[in-house]
Amino acid sequence: DVKVTQSSRYLVKRTGEKVFLECVQDMDHENMFWYRQDPGLGLRLIYFSYDVKMKEKGDIPEGYSVSREKKERFSLILESASTNQTSMYLCASRPGPQETQYFGPGTRLLVL
Amino acid sequence: RKEVEQDPGPFNVPEGATVAFNCTYSNSASQSFFWYRQDCRKEPKLLMSVYSSGNEDGRFTAQLNRASQYISLLIRDSKLSDSATYLCVVNLNTGGFKTIFGAGTRLFVKA
């Protein structure tokens, strides 16, 4: 079974804090993704990575950065958390471009 | 116009009913297609891939019509446990990396 894990299920941070969300997959997948999901807006792509040290902006990259130093790990960084970044953050991975994506359990982030 | 459109529902059906969801996509570079299921406050999970010839997995049948750019999911003999949001998902063949998620269709199956 494909396993995608995320470092926290729930996180509470204060405005202005730097936040790190980590995602690890154990299936040697090439591509990894970070999404946020908000009621009524569906899944929105923040960043994706198609290989180690490679990254591409998604639809809503502002206020976020990412790091992929190792194939299995893809980190999302909120440089200075703001209340409008309160959301459910979902990480996903897939073997290749036309394959299905496998999601982690998600991190519910609350920024106060 | 959204690249992948679904009826948001909700669909409220009794147990045992047959229910069909439709999804249309607009990008002709759409290459591979999937239905995902998402339970409340959980992550999306793959329900089934969708093939041009149509495919079936137990009570679930998926169809793809490339000419009309249309995907469907049929659920027969609905169970209470089928209550969830169903997401239509399309992979584009444009550099190979973009995936478009529909906003989802809510299904409530009642006893």
Side-chain angles (χ1 to χ4, degrees):
Chain A
D1 261 1
V2 176
K3 191 145 179 135
V4 181
T5 56
Q6 294 184 228
S7 48
S8 306
R9 294 298 299 271
Y10 301 93
L11 212 49
V12 180
K13 295 291 180 181
R14 297 211 174 270
T15 302
E17 280 193 79
K18 192 167 186 176
V19 182
F20 293 87
L21 302 182
E22 296 243 301
C23 175
V24 178
Q25 50 94 4
D26 67 355
M27 288 300 292
D28 202 36
H29 286 175
E30 299 288 335
N31 307 157
M32 296 187 75
F33 305 81
W34 275 106
Y35 297 90
R36 64 178 283 177
Q37 188 173 35
D38 302 286
L41 295 177
L43 278 162
R44 292 183 291 167
L45 181 65
I46 304 171
Y47 268 96
F48 66 93
S49 168
Y50 49 89
D51 205 348
V52 178
K53 297 193 188 291
M54 308 297 276
K55 59 185 179 185
E56 292 286 338
K57 291 181 180 178
D59 301 316
I60 51 162
E62 297 78 19
Y64 303 94
S65 63
V66 290
S67 172
R68 194 167 179 203
E69 295 298 316
K70 292 185 178 181
K71 193 174 187 179
E72 68 270 19
R73 190 179 298 269
F74 191 34
S75 302
L76 179 70
I77 302 138
L78 286 65
E79 297 291 342
S80 177
S82 63
T83 54
N84 64 11
Q85 292 179 311
T86 290
S87 187
M88 167 77 135
Y89 289 88
L90 288 156
C91 174
S93 73
R94 72 181 179 192
Q98 295 305 329
E99 305 293 327
T100 189
Q101 293 189 26
Y102 297 88
F103 284 85
T107 296
R108 290 195 172 273
L109 173 67
L110 173 63
V111 182
L112 299 173
Chain B
R1 186 187 169 190
K2 292 181 182 176
E3 288 190 88
V4 174
E5 295 212 56
Q6 295 182 250
D7 182 342
F11 284 59
N12 292 289
V13 303
E15 269 188 298
T18 295
V19 61
F21 304 139
N22 300 321
C23 170
T24 56
Y25 61 93
S26 58
N27 195 318
S28 58
S30 299
Q31 187 71 20
S32 53
F33 309 88
F34 309 92
W35 283 102
Y36 278 68
R37 170 197 169 121
Q38 187 171 23
D39 293 297
C40 190
R41 301 178 72 81
K42 300 275 191 173
E43 74 274 23
K45 291 185 179 177
L46 177 69
L47 179 66
M48 58 198 301
S49 302
V50 187
Y51 304 115
S52 297
S53 54
N55 49 301
E56 190 172 305
D57 183 2
R59 298 182 293 110
F60 299 85
T61 300
Q63 298 276 354
L64 166 64
N65 185 322
R66 286 188 184 269
S68 302
Q69 298 190 170
Y70 170 96
I71 304 159
S72 66
L73 176 69
L74 184 77
I75 305 175
R76 290 182 299 278
D77 189 23
S78 299
K79 311 289 184 195
L80 295 175
S81 57
D82 293 334
S83 297
T85 297
Y86 291 83
L87 305 174
C88 174
V89 182
V90 175
N91 280 347
L92 301 183
N93 185 23
T94 52
F97 300 114
K98 192 164 186 185
T99 300
I100 311 293
F101 287 83
T105 299
R106 293 287 301 273
L107 171 66
F108 294 101
V109 181
K110 299 178 179 178

